[in-house]
Amino acid sequence: MAKQNSPSLIQVVKQVAEQQHSQLSEIEKNKTVLFQLQAKFQELEKEMGSIVLETKTTEREIYLQDDAIEVTKHHCENLEAEVRALYSENLKLRLDAETVQEEFEMSFARNNEYREKIKAHKYLFWEMESKMPVMIELAKKKAIVQELKTKKEELMCDLQNPEGSVVKQVQEEITLLQREITTLKKFINNKRDLLEEERKMHAKLRKEIEVQNKRYDAILKRLHCQLNKVHSNKRQWHWNIQQLEKRAAELRKCLGVAALQSSM
């Protein structure tokens, strides 16, 4: 029986040895697979870390873009408010310019009316002066003086008269005429003074009119400069708004791409 059991025992040991060998082979295979799975798991962990980091970066960029969009939106609102304020100011300046233009036209019309009145006054003054009794009298006196000069020339021929009565008469008449001429000279001087005062008054009024015209010209130039500046600022703000709208569209496009990547 010992001989019969020996082969079976050997077979059992042999089978056990084969089983252990196959188990060892299976263990080695499992170790290899385990190592491969561990390496794959580490790679997946690295990829997961990269994806998490990229996700955090994307989220941070989205937050920053949201903040930039809010800032841009607030800036656009401020620009819209400024544009509305500038439009109101521009409208006010336009109304002021129209008012100044109307005042200038009214003043110019008044100045023209005053010039016409001055011309009419001068013509009327000259006409009245020519019809004044004093001027008529002056013309008469000039005629008398001329007549006396003629008589004087005639009397010069009579100066050889020994009686001398003609000379005395002529001297008396000359004295009388000299007094009348002196009176007329005084009247003419007074009239000249009045004309000089009138001329000074006209010159003063002319200077005042020139000052007013220069003042209105300066106001119109200043208003034109302000209007040009407002138009230039309006064009610049319009360009800035367009650039901000383009930037906002680009940011929205980036947000759409980021959202699509996050969903994937």
Side-chain angles (χ1 to χ4, degrees):
M1 291 182 63
K3 289 181 180 180
Q4 291 178 353
N5 292 329
S6 294
S8 62
L9 181 60
I10 292 169
Q11 290 178 355
V12 169
V13 171
K14 187 177 180 180
Q15 290 178 354
V16 169
E18 290 177 353
Q19 289 178 356
Q20 287 179 351
H21 180 70
S22 65
Q23 289 178 355
L24 288 173
S25 298
E26 188 69 23
I27 289 170
E28 291 295 329
K29 290 180 180 180
N30 290 333
K31 283 182 178 180
T32 303
V33 173
L34 179 62
F35 290 150
Q36 292 177 353
L37 290 173
Q38 286 179 348
K40 186 69 175 177
F41 180 73
Q42 289 177 356
E43 290 178 357
L44 289 174
E45 283 183 344
K46 289 180 180 180
E47 291 180 359
M48 182 62 71
S50 299
I51 292 171
V52 170
L53 181 61
E54 185 177 357
T55 302
K56 289 181 179 179
T57 303
T58 303
E59 289 177 352
R60 189 180 298 107
E61 290 179 355
I62 290 171
Y63 291 149
L64 293 175
Q65 290 174 356
D66 289 337
D67 293 337
I69 289 171
E70 289 296 327
V71 172
T72 304
K73 183 178 179 181
H74 182 67
H75 186 60
C76 289
E77 291 175 353
N78 291 333
L79 287 175
E80 289 177 357
E82 290 180 0
V83 168
R84 287 194 294 270
L86 285 172
Y87 178 77
S88 299
E89 185 178 358
N90 187 11
L91 184 60
K92 182 179 178 182
L93 288 173
R94 187 179 300 169
L95 293 174
D96 292 339
E98 291 176 355
T99 303
V100 171
Q101 182 67 26
E102 291 176 358
E103 291 179 354
F104 175 74
E105 291 176 355
M106 291 174 64
S107 177
F108 187 73
R110 286 196 299 268
N111 291 336
N112 289 334
E113 184 179 358
Y114 178 75
R115 291 191 188 98
E116 294 298 328
K117 287 182 180 181
I118 291 296
K119 289 180 181 178
H121 177 70
K122 286 182 178 179
Y123 178 76
L124 182 61
F125 180 77
W126 175 81
E127 188 177 7
M128 290 177 63
E129 187 181 37
S130 64
K131 294 179 180 180
M132 287 177 65
V134 177
M135 298 304 293
I136 295 172
E137 186 70 21
L138 180 61
K140 290 180 179 180
K141 294 296 183 182
K142 287 182 179 179
I144 292 171
V145 170
Q146 185 64 35
E147 184 179 356
L148 290 173
K149 284 182 179 179
T150 304
K151 287 182 178 181
K152 182 181 177 181
E153 291 176 357
E154 292 176 355
L155 291 172
M156 287 297 293
C157 297
D158 297 335
L159 290 177
Q160 302 300 324
N161 190 354
E163 295 181 357
S165 59
V166 177
V167 175
K168 290 181 180 179
Q169 185 179 357
V170 170
Q171 287 178 351
E172 290 176 358
E173 290 179 357
I174 289 172
T175 302
L176 181 61
L177 287 173
Q178 285 178 348
R179 290 177 182 175
E180 291 179 356
I181 290 170
T182 302
T183 303
L184 288 173
K185 284 183 178 179
K186 289 181 179 179
F187 175 78
I188 291 170
N189 290 331
N190 292 331
K191 198 65 179 178
R192 188 182 293 111
D193 293 338
L194 291 174
L195 291 174
E196 184 66 21
E197 290 179 359
E198 187 74 15
R199 188 186 65 78
K200 289 180 178 179
M201 183 182 72
H202 291 168
K204 182 179 180 182
L205 290 173
R206 191 179 298 108
K207 288 182 180 179
E208 290 179 356
I209 290 169
E210 291 177 355
V211 170
Q212 290 295 328
N213 289 335
K214 290 180 180 179
R215 177 174 173 270
Y216 290 139
D217 290 338
I219 291 172
L220 287 175
K221 288 181 181 178
R222 179 173 60 81
L223 290 174
H224 284 309
C225 290
Q226 290 178 354
L227 286 174
N228 292 332
K229 184 177 180 181
V230 168
H231 288 314
S232 177
N233 292 334
K234 187 177 179 181
R235 288 193 296 270
Q236 183 65 33
W237 289 328
H238 182 68
W239 186 83
N240 291 336
I241 289 170
Q242 289 180 346
Q243 296 299 318
L244 290 172
E245 289 177 350
K246 290 181 181 178
R247 180 60 180 168
E250 291 176 358
L251 291 174
R252 292 191 189 98
K253 185 177 180 181
C254 292
L255 286 174
V257 173
L260 182 62
Q261 290 179 356
S262 298
S263 63
M264 293 176 62

